[in-house]
Amino acid sequence: MNRILRIGHPLLLERSAEVREFGTPGLQRLVDEMLAIMEQHQGVGLAAPQIGILQRIIVFGMEECARYPECEPVPLTVLINPAFEPMEEDLEQEWEGCLSIPGMRGLVPRYRRIRYRGQDLQGRPISREASGFHARILQHELDHLDGVLYPQRIRDMRMFGYEEELALAPPQAGA
Ligand code: NI
């Protein structure tokens, strides 16, 4: 089983390639492996480059999530060649983590409401509207496909740290 690459690994900074062939055994195997790894690590999302595969494939969602007790359920989704557009300008700051940055959290601005689209394993179109946590996960995972990790989006680096330390006295988001 592939290991999850951690921040510092050069492949996490690469732009991933569009998927052009659908419904193949290789694509199915890759997605099955991504879902298994996400489940094993109790993640809410995983992008193919996090296991060293530079293809535009993300998996996300959970009925309930141990790592994010405050979260709303998000349907388990395989999304290939994803794209999104904001439905309103508003950005919302919330704490985020990433399986490639274990043990850490940061306060990250994301669009609150988006419309996203992509394709499923067979190449059929998927199109949805999402808000809040669901919209945040999508934006986080899509960033991975463009070589962007969430610390690059943090506005105030005091709002970044180890979750055990942050839990002691959460810093207040400042001006
Ligand atoms: Ni991540």
mmCIF file of all heavy atoms in Angstrom, residues 50 97-99 140-141 144, ligand 1:
data_model
loop_
_atom_site.group_PDB
_atom_site.id
_atom_site.type_symbol
_atom_site.label_atom_id
_atom_site.label_comp_id
_atom_site.label_asym_id
_atom_site.label_seq_id
_atom_site.Cartn_x
_atom_site.Cartn_y
_atom_site.Cartn_z
ATOM 1 N N GLN A 50 -1.329 12.910 -3.197
ATOM 2 C CA GLN A 50 -0.894 12.605 -1.829
ATOM 3 C C GLN A 50 -0.335 11.191 -1.704
ATOM 4 O O GLN A 50 0.349 10.881 -0.730
ATOM 5 C CB GLN A 50 -2.046 12.781 -0.833
ATOM 6 C CG GLN A 50 -2.439 14.243 -0.635
ATOM 7 C CD GLN A 50 -3.549 14.376 0.390
ATOM 8 O OE1 GLN A 50 -4.714 14.217 0.066
ATOM 9 N NE2 GLN A 50 -3.181 14.636 1.636
ATOM 10 N N GLY A 97 -7.195 20.589 8.575
ATOM 11 C CA GLY A 97 -6.033 19.713 8.680
ATOM 12 C C GLY A 97 -5.825 19.030 7.349
ATOM 13 O O GLY A 97 -6.602 19.229 6.411
ATOM 14 N N CYS A 98 -4.764 18.217 7.286
ATOM 15 C CA CYS A 98 -4.438 17.527 6.034
ATOM 16 C C CYS A 98 -3.635 16.284 6.388
ATOM 17 O O CYS A 98 -2.738 16.353 7.229
ATOM 18 C CB CYS A 98 -3.616 18.454 5.141
ATOM 19 S SG CYS A 98 -3.120 17.715 3.579
ATOM 20 N N LEU A 99 -3.953 15.162 5.751
ATOM 21 C CA LEU A 99 -3.208 13.932 6.044
ATOM 22 C C LEU A 99 -1.731 14.058 5.649
ATOM 23 O O LEU A 99 -0.911 13.301 6.144
ATOM 24 C CB LEU A 99 -3.847 12.740 5.318
ATOM 25 C CG LEU A 99 -5.246 12.345 5.808
ATOM 26 C CD1 LEU A 99 -5.831 11.249 4.926
ATOM 27 C CD2 LEU A 99 -5.228 11.910 7.263
ATOM 28 N N HIS A 140 -10.141 22.300 -0.682
ATOM 29 C CA HIS A 140 -8.872 21.794 -0.145
ATOM 30 C C HIS A 140 -8.306 20.698 -1.058
ATOM 31 O O HIS A 140 -7.121 20.730 -1.424
ATOM 32 C CB HIS A 140 -9.105 21.247 1.279
ATOM 33 C CG HIS A 140 -7.917 20.579 1.900
ATOM 34 N ND1 HIS A 140 -7.296 21.083 3.026
ATOM 35 C CD2 HIS A 140 -7.229 19.460 1.561
ATOM 36 C CE1 HIS A 140 -6.280 20.282 3.337
ATOM 37 N NE2 HIS A 140 -6.222 19.296 2.471
ATOM 38 N N GLU A 141 -9.160 19.728 -1.433
ATOM 39 C CA GLU A 141 -8.682 18.609 -2.256
ATOM 40 C C GLU A 141 -8.306 19.077 -3.658
ATOM 41 O O GLU A 141 -7.311 18.622 -4.219
ATOM 42 C CB GLU A 141 -9.729 17.494 -2.323
ATOM 43 C CG GLU A 141 -10.109 16.883 -0.967
ATOM 44 C CD GLU A 141 -8.926 16.434 -0.140
ATOM 45 O OE1 GLU A 141 -7.882 16.065 -0.704
ATOM 46 O OE2 GLU A 141 -9.035 16.480 1.099
ATOM 47 N N HIS A 144 -4.858 20.397 -3.899
ATOM 48 C CA HIS A 144 -3.798 19.386 -4.007
ATOM 49 C C HIS A 144 -3.464 19.093 -5.471
ATOM 50 O O HIS A 144 -2.317 18.801 -5.807
ATOM 51 C CB HIS A 144 -4.233 18.078 -3.343
ATOM 52 C CG HIS A 144 -4.030 18.028 -1.855
ATOM 53 N ND1 HIS A 144 -2.790 18.119 -1.263
ATOM 54 C CD2 HIS A 144 -4.912 17.875 -0.839
ATOM 55 C CE1 HIS A 144 -2.916 18.021 0.047
ATOM 56 N NE2 HIS A 144 -4.207 17.882 0.346
HETATM 57 NI NI NI B 1 -4.952 17.645 2.295
#
